[in-house]
Amino acid sequence: MNAVNLLGFDLEGLAAYCEQLGEKRFRATQLFRWIHKRGASDFDQMSDLAKSLRDKLASRAQITALPVISEHVSADGTIKWLFDVGAGDAVEAVYIPESDRGTLCISSQAGCAVGCRFCSTGHQGFSRNLDTAEIIAQLWYAEHSLRRRQGSDERVISNVVMMGMGEPLQNYSALLPALRMMLDDHGYGLSRRRVTVSTSGVVPMIDRLRDDCPVALAVSLHSPVDALRDQLVPLNKKYPIAELLDACNRYLERAPRDFITFEYCMLDGVNDTPELAHELVELLRGHVSCKINLIPFNPFPASGLTRSSRERVTAFADILIKSGLITTVRKTRGDDIDAACGQLAGEVQDRTSAYVRMVRAPVLVKAAVVALPS
Ligand code: SF4
């Protein structure tokens, strides 16, 4: 019998599992706290659980992190881990420390099926969904290894952004329990405002998330007009901009923040013209409460795209700001370890040669360096 990985259970799931073992449901809370609050992976550490339960768990269950292929630490403190998820697939997580918060960017899929034009992950295709244990294992490992490093039990990660590899809303059944574990006071105790799901615009699942577990929402927009967005984000053909914005407004009825973050990757000569800036203003101002995050593109050869110049980004941002749209230009972090957006595929190929043939797309394209409001 394969041992079940308890990292895959939210508190409700763990309670059901304890009942299956003939244990009281409240034991699940103790167990859950040991795993997620204290980072325990050995049942013998769990001193307030009866020896008989610990033995039962040891014979049927495990708490297993993902094997770490590599870790790189930037001069600015950014840390990037590459995790092995088996069968030649790998995913990455990036920790971004700032003075008032610690943000972890994590992956939801190995590869991605959406195929955005400017995204290295999208270019390399979809391998598989991560399960809940694989999603939460990135947070579990990062939080507890960072605590050990700082030599205290103080929480390190205050914000989680689902902006790594994959479209989280196309892996909803695994995502939802992972979000609940992040929010659970017996787990990571993060506020809904500090957990962000980033989507390319899977409209029906935006509605599901609003009903099931509303957290902060970021939407990859990248164009104010359908004809161009169809090319940049192919999912737009299925869920065009008007439908997406309607879903955003429905989401705002229950969102923990009173705005949606729109991500806009600046592509030279493609979506960075003054005309499109004005179209963006027309589209959003007065229609959706939002903030806009302009992202420097990190080029990769297969894209055929280049990064907008600083001058073009500034001119674009000025139009938005003067029109009253709250706009930030994302700063890059971890440049010296290639942890900025879209740089990770090259890093993997350079430094983990044993994985070159196998790793499909270990790249954080969307937001390894996001600076969200606290
Ligand atoms: S930007 Fe996101 S949704 Fe688009 S292909 Fe890349 S990972 Fe997938």
Side-chain angles (χ1 to χ4, degrees):
M1 187 175 65
N2 282 342
V4 58
N5 189 357
L6 300 187
L7 286 182
F9 289 132
D10 62 11
L11 187 51
E12 192 54 35
L14 200 57
Y17 180 71
C18 284
E19 281 189 329
Q20 269 176 35
L21 296 182
E23 298 287 336
K24 298 271 192 267
R25 284 173 73 90
F26 76 88
R27 291 282 175 220
T29 305
Q30 291 172 291
L31 188 51
F32 196 78
R33 290 178 67 88
W34 273 108
I35 297 169
H36 297 289
K37 268 211 175 322
R38 305 182 69 169
S41 58
D42 181 348
F43 298 115
D44 278 340
Q45 287 174 267
M46 303 178 182
S47 49
D48 58 356
L49 297 185
K51 178 82 170 64
S52 57
L53 173 56
R54 282 186 271 151
D55 289 345
K56 212 186 284 184
L57 288 168
S59 67
R60 302 166 199 220
Q62 58 187 8
I63 300 156
T64 308
L66 295 171
V68 178
I69 297 168
S70 66
E71 174 187 296
H72 297 293
V73 182
S74 161
D76 68 15
T78 300
I79 305 175
K80 182 180 57 171
W81 294 279
L82 180 66
F83 294 105
D84 183 356
V85 292
D89 288 318
V91 297
E92 269 178 312
V94 176
Y95 169 66
I96 307 120
E98 291 176 275
S99 57
D100 59 343
R101 81 197 83 164
T103 302
L104 186 72
C105 177
I106 62 184
S107 298
S108 56
Q109 298 178 312
C112 183
V114 176
C116 298
R117 195 46 220 292
F118 50 86
C119 172
S120 179
T121 301
H123 268 258
Q124 298 187 42
F126 176 70
S127 182
R128 70 172 176 86
N129 283 327
L130 300 189
D131 63 25
T132 300
E134 290 168 327
I135 295 172
I136 213 70
Q138 298 168 66
L139 173 57
W140 185 82
Y141 178 85
E143 174 67 34
H144 295 293
S145 68
L146 290 169
R147 281 190 204 181
R148 280 193 293 278
R149 222 166 284 192
Q150 72 177 15
S152 93
D153 272 344
E154 288 290 302
R155 181 164 76 182
V156 181
I157 293 165
S158 60
N159 296 55
V160 172
V161 291
M162 299 296 311
M163 295 185 179
M165 282 174 74
E167 165 52 68
L169 294 185
Q170 287 189 339
N171 185 14
Y172 191 75
S173 61
L175 173 73
L176 188 59
L179 293 177
R180 288 184 170 139
M181 291 153 90
M182 294 172 199
L183 302 178
D184 199 312
D185 284 339
H186 297 296
Y188 299 89
L190 300 176
S191 86
R192 289 180 188 277
R193 299 161 55 85
R194 289 172 176 263
V195 174
T196 300
V197 168
S198 175
T199 180
S200 56
V202 191
V203 164
M205 305 318 286
I206 292 174
D207 288 331
R208 287 273 305 269
L209 187 67
R210 178 202 58 179
D211 293 341
D212 294 339
C213 189
V215 292
L217 188 69
V219 171
S220 298
L221 189 59
H222 311 302
S223 164
V225 291
D226 281 318
L228 176 58
R229 194 166 188 268
D230 283 350
Q231 293 174 40
L232 297 176
V233 184
L235 197 66
N236 194 69
K237 292 176 194 148
K238 191 163 185 192
Y239 306 115
I241 293 171
E243 282 184 34
L244 177 57
L245 297 193
D246 284 349
C248 288
N249 276 320
R250 291 193 295 275
Y251 196 86
L252 281 167
E253 292 164 8
R254 296 198 187 165
R257 290 182 181 275
D258 58 3
F259 61 89
I260 303 287
T261 302
F262 288 112
E263 311 280 358
Y264 198 103
C265 183
M266 298 296 288
L267 304 167
D268 186 45
V270 175
N271 66 353
D272 64 347
T273 61
E275 293 74 28
L276 285 171
H278 288 293
E279 294 229 32
L280 191 57
V281 171
E282 282 306 303
L283 180 74
L284 297 178
R285 191 177 56 186
H287 300 294
V288 186
S289 172
C290 65
K291 293 187 178 178
I292 298 167
N293 199 8
L294 302 180
I295 309 168
F297 171 59
N298 285 294
F300 57 99
S303 70
L305 300 165
T306 50
R307 178 190 287 195
S308 301
S309 66
R310 187 185 299 258
E311 293 70 34
R312 283 178 81 93
V313 174
T314 304
F316 196 93
D318 279 351
I319 293 169
L320 303 184
I321 292 165
K322 284 189 181 131
S323 305
L325 291 177
I326 299 169
T327 304
T328 53
V329 178
R330 184 177 293 168
K331 59 186 176 182
T332 59
R333 293 285 303 268
D335 285 351
D336 56 327
I337 58 166
D338 297 341
C341 296
Q343 293 185 342
L344 302 179
E347 188 276 338
V348 166
Q349 289 171 7
D350 291 346
R351 299 188 204 172
T352 56
S353 53
Y355 279 77
V356 169
R357 280 177 297 107
M358 301 183 286
V359 172
R360 288 189 173 82
V363 58
L364 281 165
V365 166
K366 288 191 291 183
V369 290
V370 69
L372 293 169
S374 57

